[in-house]
């Protein structure tokens, strides 16, 4: 297997084989919330309490057939179209920096 058994966030099924996390931020007021920017235009918000590691998942669950474990919200810049195959058309758009507001 090419996967590490204790992977917390695996974006490969959603972004492709060249998935890279570019930026991570932990909410200081709610440390269970994690913002992730990757090499696609989305910023994902995860609830760490809801994430299962790969070793926690049953063998009958397949990566392609289920949503991202623990992902509770997606954000995208308002000037970008919402429903586009970003793997092809906007591959050069990446989220290079994410942070939570201190308020």
């Amino acid at each position: 297997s090419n996967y590490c058994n204790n992977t917390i966030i695996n974006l490969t099924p959603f972004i492709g084989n060249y998935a890279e996390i570019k930026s991570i931020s932990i909410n200081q007021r709610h440390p269970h919330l994690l913002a992730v920017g990757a090499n696609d235009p989305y910023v994902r918000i995860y609830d760490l309490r809801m994430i299962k590691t790969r070793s926690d998942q049953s063998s009958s669950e397949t990566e392609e057939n289920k949503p991202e474990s623990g992902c509770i919200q997606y954000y995208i810049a308002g000037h970008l179209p919402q429903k586009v195959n970003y793997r092809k058309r906007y591959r050069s758009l990446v989220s290079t920096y994410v942070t939570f507001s201190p308020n």
Side-chain angles (χ1 to χ4, degrees), residues 1-102:
S1 173
N2 292 333
Y3 294 104
C4 179
N5 283 338
N6 59 358
T7 299
I8 295 174
I9 298 172
N10 180 9
L11 297 177
T12 303
F14 309 99
I15 299 177
N17 288 332
Y18 299 104
E20 296 176 1
I21 292 179
K22 301 287 189 180
S23 179
I24 295 176
S25 180
I26 296 174
N27 188 318
Q28 292 182 5
R29 289 189 170 202
H30 304 283
H32 57 276
L33 295 178
L34 177 73
V36 175
N39 58 332
D40 68 355
Y42 293 103
V43 173
R44 295 161 173 84
I45 305 295
Y46 290 88
D47 186 334
L48 295 175
R49 302 170 297 182
M50 298 172 59
I51 292 178
K52 293 180 181 180
T53 61
R54 184 164 170 80
S55 60
D56 291 340
Q57 298 172 6
S58 73
S59 59
S60 64
E61 292 178 329
T62 60
E63 296 283 335
E64 296 84 15
N65 295 333
K66 65 185 185 68
E68 295 174 65
S69 173
C71 186
I72 58 174
Q73 186 69 45
Y74 285 88
Y75 294 96
I76 190 166
H79 66 282
L80 296 175
Q82 297 290 319
K83 306 261 182 180
V84 174
N85 183 349
Y86 285 104
R87 284 187 189 180
K88 294 179 182 175
R89 291 194 61 202
Y90 294 100
R91 187 64 179 180
S92 63
L93 298 177
V94 300
S95 302
T96 58
Y97 182 79
V98 295
T99 189
F100 286 96
S101 171

